[in-house]
């Protein structure tokens, strides 16, 4: 979607004209733009398209609406090429100076509608003021993580009169005064995120609710608010989403008064997770009048008793409820089964009290379930799977990690009765090859997690490869029966594969990586602890999988500099790598650090790494934002150098971790 500025040809570059070029000149701009619309999510195709001819180059430049630059200092150079930018994502630019924001204001004064500064620092009121006053069409600003942003910045932000969406997550220095300025100036706000703004109280939230009548979504998670700010919020006619996660100041006693004053509202989503002080009486008061409620999150809260369930009985539009880590009672489950609503999504992850009887009662009533999460419901057995698959044949997502009492034969039922599954998590379970053979009938499956499944081997994986050709994500972590033969089957049968985890499988060799190198869409590869893998296999991945962005080769002791050099040469999109305990030296790390997109590195216990080599690699890695290092290097790097890295936007994390070759995890 976003261009890599390192590889963008100059607008003055000379193209050789061929008869094919001239034939393209007959295509209208509308046709060319229609082609580009289809290439929207494929940056490689867009780049290739722009290099076809002068007319295509110009058309791609004019058509592009979004940019995500690697470095902020490149904007003045490339902005003339892209005159129509409406969305600017600066999450890869840690330092954004006022001069940069001023140049942005000048370049896209009439087109810019959205800017993301959630990972950026260094700008002040001056730059932001220029931005919001010049770009009058600006409707979205993300200033999250701005821990140093003050009320003075909010006063400037209030000049963005057309602002509709504002994210201020973790802006911990903002007070009621600052948010009051936003409330007065930005009356068109439809979405506001204030989670972790710890100095905003009932006063500031009340001002927002009073002034911003168009609000659709409001996130107040982790704020020190009470029920006093809720009446004006619940009177907002258009409010559809209210998130009150871990708002401990709100309790039953305070909510009681709401019941008498609440009128009908338009609330569709309510998140009360981690609010243990709210029981059935408080919930009943809060949702009084919310007849359109569709999604409710009560995770990590009170027990789901009969009274708690009964207060939701009449909400016929309720489609999704999350009860993760709640304690379920049989009477509460029976009350849920009597709801007027027919649920589409139900999450019972890590719930205490989930039994075969409970699940049978629930699924017999809610037969239209599309998504069910029963992760770590350790009491369920064959009976639960029989009930689920018999009643809910339209499931598209089933998560049941660590349901260890479910026997092998139960998994055959999933493939026989749930043909529409797209996501299936069977991590740490007793499934065997017969179960996989049955599941291979789920031809729509795109996410399959089989980590720590010790009863499966290559034969079962071959069934998946032949039947589930749409697989994009496959997790085989510590499934030790898998060998190169199984991985070869997956690589040949699942051409859309984007992520695979084969960590800590000691039978995996370079042959598996050579097979996977044919998966051209592969973006994430986790092979930590695969002791038989070497630089030969890694080189094949580098050459074949050019979309690779995440690589974990921790504890691959046979990987050395010979594997790093191909990564530097071919893996230009690599963003994150863990090479702890590998046999990489200064030379390999220096090559790796030259990758422009590389953002995160974990490099603990590299035996061949010296202080000078580390310093050189950190200097070369101009895009690095987070590097995890062993504490022993801290005293060997001058304080001035560490300060320089911090100024450049790279945070060094020091770990005092003893050398532990072949460690688990």
């Amino acid at each position: 979607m976003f261009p890599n500025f390192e590889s963008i040809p100059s607008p003055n570059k000379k193209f050789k004209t061929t008869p094919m070029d001239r034939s393209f000149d007959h295509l209208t701009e509308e046709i060319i733009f229609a082609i580009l619309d289809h290439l929207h999510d494929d940056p490689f195709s867009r780049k290739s398209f722009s290099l076809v001819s002068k007319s295509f180059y110009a058309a791609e430049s004019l058509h592009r609406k979004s940019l995500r630059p690697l470095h902020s200092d490149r904007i003045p150079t490339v902005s003339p090429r892209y005159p129509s930018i409406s969305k600017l994502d600066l999450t890869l630019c840690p330092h954004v100076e006022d001069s940069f924001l001023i140049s942005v204001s000048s370049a896209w004064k009439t087109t810019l509608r959205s800017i993301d500064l959630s990972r950026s620092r260094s700008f002040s009121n001056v730059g932001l003021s220029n931005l919001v006053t010049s770009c009058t069409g600006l409707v979205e600003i993300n200033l999250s993580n701005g821990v140093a942003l003050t009320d003075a910045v909010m006063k400037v932000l209030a000049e963005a009169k057309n602002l509709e969406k504002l994210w201020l997550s973790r802006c911990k220095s903002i007070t009621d005064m600052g948010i009051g300025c936003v409330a007065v100036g930005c009356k068109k706000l439809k979405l506001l995120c204030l989670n972790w703004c710890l100095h905003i109280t009932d006063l500031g939230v009340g001002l927002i609710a009073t002034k911003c009548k168009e609000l659709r979504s409001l996130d107040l998670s982790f704020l020190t608010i009470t029920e006093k700010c809720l009446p004006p919020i619940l009177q907002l006619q258009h409010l559809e989403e209210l998130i009150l996660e871990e708002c401990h100041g709100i309790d039953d006693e305070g909510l009681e008064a709401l019941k008498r004053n609440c009128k009908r509202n338009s609330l569709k989503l309510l998140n009360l997770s981690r609010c243990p002080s709210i029981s059935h009486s408080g919930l009943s008061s809060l949702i009084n009048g919310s007849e359109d409620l569709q999604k409710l999150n009560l995770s990590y809260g009170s027990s789901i008793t009969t009274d708690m369930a009964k207060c939701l009985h009449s909400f016929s539009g309720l489609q999704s409820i999350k009860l993760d880590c709640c304690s379920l009672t049989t009477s509460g489950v029976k009350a849920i089964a009597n709801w007027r609503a027919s649920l589409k999504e139900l999450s019972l992850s890590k719930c205490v009290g989930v039994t075969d009887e409970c699940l049978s009662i629930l699924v017999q009533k809610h037969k239209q379930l599309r998504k069910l999460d029963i992760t770590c419901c350790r009491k369920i057995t064959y009976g639960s799977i029989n009930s689920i698959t018999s009643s809910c044949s339209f499931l598209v997502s089933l998560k049941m990690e660590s349901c260890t009492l479910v026997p092998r034969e139960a998994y055959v039922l999933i493939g026989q009765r749930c043909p529409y599954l797209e996501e299936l998590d069977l991590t740490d379970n007793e499934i065997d090859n017969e179960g996989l053979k049955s599941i291979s009938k789920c031809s729509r499956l795109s996410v399959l997690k089989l980590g720590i499944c010790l009863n499966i081997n290559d034969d079962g994986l071959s069934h998946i490869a032949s039947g589930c050709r749409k697989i994009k994500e496959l997790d085989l972590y510590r499934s030790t029966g898998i060998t190169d033969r199984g991985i070869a089957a997956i690589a040949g049968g699942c051409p859309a594969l984007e992520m695979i985890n084969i960590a800590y499988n000691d039978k995996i060799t370079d042959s598996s990586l050579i097979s996977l190198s044919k998966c051209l869409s592969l973006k994430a590869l986790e092979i930590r602890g695969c002791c038989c893998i070497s630089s030969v296999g890694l080189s094949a991945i580098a050459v074949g999988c050019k979309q690779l962005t995440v690589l974990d080769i921790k504890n691959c002791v046979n990987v050395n500099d010979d594997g790093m050099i191909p990564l530097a040469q071919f893996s230009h999109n690599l963003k994150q790598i863990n090479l702890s305990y590998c046999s990489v030296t200064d030379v390999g790390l220096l090559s790796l650090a030259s990758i422009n997109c590389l953002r995160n590195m974990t490099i603990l216990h590299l035996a061949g790494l010296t202080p000078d080599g580390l310093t050189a690699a950190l200097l070369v890695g101009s895009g690095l934002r987070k590097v995890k290092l062993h504490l022993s290097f801290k005293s060997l790097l001058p304080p001035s150098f560490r300060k320089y890295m911090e100024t450049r936007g790279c945070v060094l994390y020091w770990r005092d971790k003893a050398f532990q070759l072949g460690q688990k995890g």
Side-chain angles (χ1 to χ4, degrees):
M1 185 187 302
F2 304 103
N4 181 339
F5 292 154
E6 299 294 337
S7 55
I8 291 176
S10 165
N12 298 319
K13 180 176 178 178
K14 300 296 184 182
F15 291 87
K16 290 185 177 180
T17 302
T18 67
M20 181 64 74
D21 290 340
R22 289 191 292 271
S23 67
F24 288 140
D25 291 339
H26 297 293
L27 296 178
T28 65
E29 188 177 81
E30 289 77 10
I31 293 175
I32 295 176
F33 280 8
I35 296 171
L36 285 167
D37 287 338
H38 285 284
L39 302 179
H40 181 69
D41 295 324
D42 188 346
F44 301 98
S45 296
R46 288 188 68 103
K47 179 182 175 182
S48 299
F49 182 96
S50 69
L51 296 176
V52 169
S53 68
K54 288 182 179 180
S55 60
F56 276 29
Y57 181 89
E60 196 277 333
S61 300
L62 187 61
H63 179 270
R64 184 175 291 279
K65 298 296 187 293
S66 10
L67 282 181
R68 192 186 188 196
L70 299 177
H71 305 284
S72 59
D73 56 1
R74 301 296 174 87
I75 289 294
T77 305
V78 301
S79 57
R81 178 184 171 182
Y82 301 112
S84 306
I85 296 301
S86 61
K87 182 177 181 180
L88 184 59
D89 183 345
L90 298 172
T91 52
L92 300 180
C93 304
H95 288 287
V96 172
E97 306 284 348
D98 286 340
S99 57
F100 169 79
L101 291 181
I102 292 171
S103 66
V104 166
S105 305
S106 175
W108 299 302
K109 183 176 182 178
T110 59
T111 62
L112 192 65
R113 294 178 57 79
S114 172
I115 187 167
D116 191 338
L117 292 160
S118 61
R119 300 291 176 183
S120 306
R121 304 292 177 270
S122 304
F123 60 88
S124 71
N125 303 355
V126 176
L128 197 61
S129 176
N130 194 284
L131 180 71
V132 299
T133 54
S134 298
C135 301
T136 55
L138 205 58
V139 294
E140 298 182 8
I141 299 181
N142 193 338
L143 295 173
S144 296
N145 305 304
V147 292
L149 297 181
T150 64
D151 290 342
V153 173
M154 295 300 102
K155 184 178 180 181
V156 167
L157 195 60
E159 297 301 316
K161 303 298 183 183
N162 293 312
L163 203 60
E164 295 180 3
K165 296 182 179 181
L166 176 61
W167 291 268
L168 297 172
S169 178
R170 291 182 174 81
C171 293
K172 298 180 181 181
S173 299
I174 296 173
T175 71
D176 293 334
M177 182 74 73
I179 206 64
C181 292
V182 171
V184 172
C186 306
K187 295 183 179 180
K188 295 183 180 180
L189 275 179
K190 295 180 180 178
L191 178 149
L192 179 60
C193 177
L194 297 174
N195 67 50
W196 284 106
C197 294
L198 301 180
H199 289 99
I200 293 178
T201 68
D202 290 331
L203 176 61
V205 175
L207 286 170
I208 286 290
T210 302
K211 298 293 184 181
C212 303
K213 299 294 187 181
E214 299 297 316
L215 272 175
R216 266 73 167 169
S217 177
L218 182 59
D219 187 347
L220 305 174
S221 301
F222 306 98
L223 267 60
T224 55
I225 56 174
T226 70
E227 72 287 342
K228 293 178 181 178
C229 67
L230 293 178
I233 290 175
L234 294 175
Q235 290 173 17
L236 290 166
Q237 294 183 3
H238 305 290
L239 189 68
E240 297 181 351
E241 299 181 358
L242 179 59
I243 304 174
L244 299 170
E245 181 177 358
E246 204 164 316
C247 291
H248 290 167
I250 301 175
D251 57 24
D252 287 345
E253 184 178 354
L255 290 173
E256 182 63 30
L258 287 177
K259 199 165 190 176
R260 296 188 296 271
N261 301 319
C262 277
K263 299 178 181 179
R264 173 164 180 155
N265 57 62
S266 55
L267 206 59
K268 294 181 179 179
L269 181 151
L270 178 61
N271 187 339
L272 294 173
S273 58
R274 303 180 190 276
C275 294
S277 299
I278 300 178
S279 69
H280 69 277
S281 61
L283 178 62
S284 179
S285 300
L286 186 55
I287 61 176
N288 184 36
S290 303
E291 297 178 12
D292 297 324
L293 192 64
Q294 296 178 1
K295 297 183 178 182
L296 179 63
N297 190 340
L298 299 175
S299 300
Y300 299 89
S302 300
S303 296
I304 307 303
T305 61
T306 304
D307 290 333
M308 177 70 88
K310 279 185 176 179
C311 72
L312 294 165
H313 172 77
S314 61
F315 290 84
S316 58
L318 194 62
Q319 297 179 5
S320 170
I321 187 164
K322 292 186 176 183
L323 304 172
D324 302 348
C325 287
C326 291
S327 178
L328 252 63
T329 64
T330 303
S331 59
V333 168
K334 289 180 178 179
I336 293 175
N338 289 325
W339 284 352
R340 292 180 182 175
S342 180
L343 293 174
K344 299 292 192 299
E345 299 182 24
L346 175 61
S347 184
L348 303 173
S349 175
K350 302 178 183 177
C351 279
V352 177
V354 176
T355 63
D356 289 343
E357 180 187 6
C358 288
L359 277 176
S360 178
I361 292 170
L362 286 172
V363 298
Q364 284 180 32
K365 160 61 180 176
H366 300 285
K367 294 185 177 183
Q368 299 303 312
L369 276 176
R370 297 296 188 270
K371 297 182 179 181
L372 177 62
D373 189 345
I374 48 174
T375 297
C376 294
C377 293
R378 301 181 187 276
K379 294 181 180 180
I380 68 171
T381 67
Y382 179 95
S384 287
I385 306 306
N386 185 33
S387 297
I388 292 168
T389 55
S390 296
S391 300
C392 306
S393 57
F394 293 101
L395 278 177
V396 296
S397 174
L398 176 60
K399 298 179 181 180
M400 49 177 294
E401 176 182 348
S402 297
C403 296
T404 49
L405 291 183
V406 175
R408 301 182 185 189
E409 55 268 23
Y411 296 98
V412 176
L413 302 178
I414 297 175
Q416 290 176 346
R417 300 173 179 175
C418 300
Y420 303 107
L421 276 174
E422 298 174 8
E423 178 181 23
L424 181 59
D425 186 351
L426 301 176
T427 304
D428 189 22
N429 278 308
E430 295 298 313
I431 187 172
D432 61 8
N433 290 338
E434 284 302 309
L436 290 184
K437 182 178 180 180
S438 178
I439 287 169
S440 69
K441 299 173 185 175
C442 303
S443 59
R444 302 185 183 189
L445 209 58
S446 62
V447 177
L448 179 59
K449 297 186 178 182
L450 299 169
I452 325 178
C453 291
L454 305 182
N455 300 319
I456 64 172
N457 59 34
D458 295 336
D459 293 335
L461 216 54
S462 296
H463 290 305
I464 295 297
S466 61
C468 306
R469 295 183 59 82
K470 294 182 179 181
I471 290 282
K472 291 184 177 181
E473 181 178 336
L474 180 62
D475 188 347
L476 297 168
Y477 171 83
R478 291 190 185 278
S479 293
T480 52
I482 304 301
T483 73
D484 292 335
R485 182 167 67 88
I487 300 303
I490 289 294
C494 305
L497 192 67
E498 295 181 1
M499 179 273 174
I500 186 167
N501 184 346
I502 46 178
Y504 293 107
N505 290 330
D506 57 8
K507 300 182 184 70
I508 297 296
T509 73
D510 287 334
S511 179
S512 286
L513 298 197
I514 292 171
S515 297
L516 289 171
S517 69
K518 308 299 191 296
C519 298
L520 304 184
S521 299
L522 194 66
K523 294 181 175 66
L525 175 62
E526 298 188 36
I527 50 176
R528 68 164 61 187
C530 293
C531 55
C532 296
I533 282 175
S534 74
S535 296
V536 174
L538 190 59
S539 298
I541 290 292
V543 173
C545 306
K546 293 184 173 61
Q547 294 193 43
L548 193 69
T549 58
V550 177
L551 177 63
D552 189 340
I553 52 175
K554 177 182 177 180
N555 275 320
C556 293
V557 294
N558 294 316
V559 172
N560 55 28
D561 294 344
D562 292 339
M564 298 300 102
I565 294 171
L567 284 175
Q569 185 176 358
F570 298 104
S571 300
H572 297 158
N573 293 287
L574 191 64
K575 296 178 181 178
Q576 177 179 318
I577 188 169
N578 185 343
L579 53 141
S580 300
Y581 296 92
C582 292
S583 301
V584 175
T585 71
D586 296 346
V587 174
L589 190 63
L590 191 62
S591 297
L592 188 70
S594 66
I595 299 175
N596 286 322
C597 284
L598 192 61
R599 293 292 174 264
N600 301 334
M601 284 200 307
T602 301
I603 45 177
L604 300 174
H605 296 296
L606 294 186
L609 184 62
T610 68
D612 288 344
L614 175 60
T615 302
L618 293 176
L619 287 173
V620 167
S622 59
L624 287 172
R625 299 294 174 259
K626 180 167 67 175
V627 181
K628 292 182 181 179
L629 297 158
H630 194 269
L631 185 61
S632 59
F633 277 100
K634 188 172 184 178
S635 61
L636 303 177
L637 299 180
S640 57
F641 176 76
R642 301 200 303 267
K643 181 66 176 176
Y644 166 75
M645 292 302 298
E646 181 181 340
T647 303
R648 204 175 70 177
C650 180
V651 180
L652 304 180
Y653 293 88
W654 304 101
R655 297 288 183 265
D656 188 12
K657 201 168 187 178
F659 184 85
Q660 197 174 358
L661 188 60
Q663 65 173 4
K664 299 179 188 278

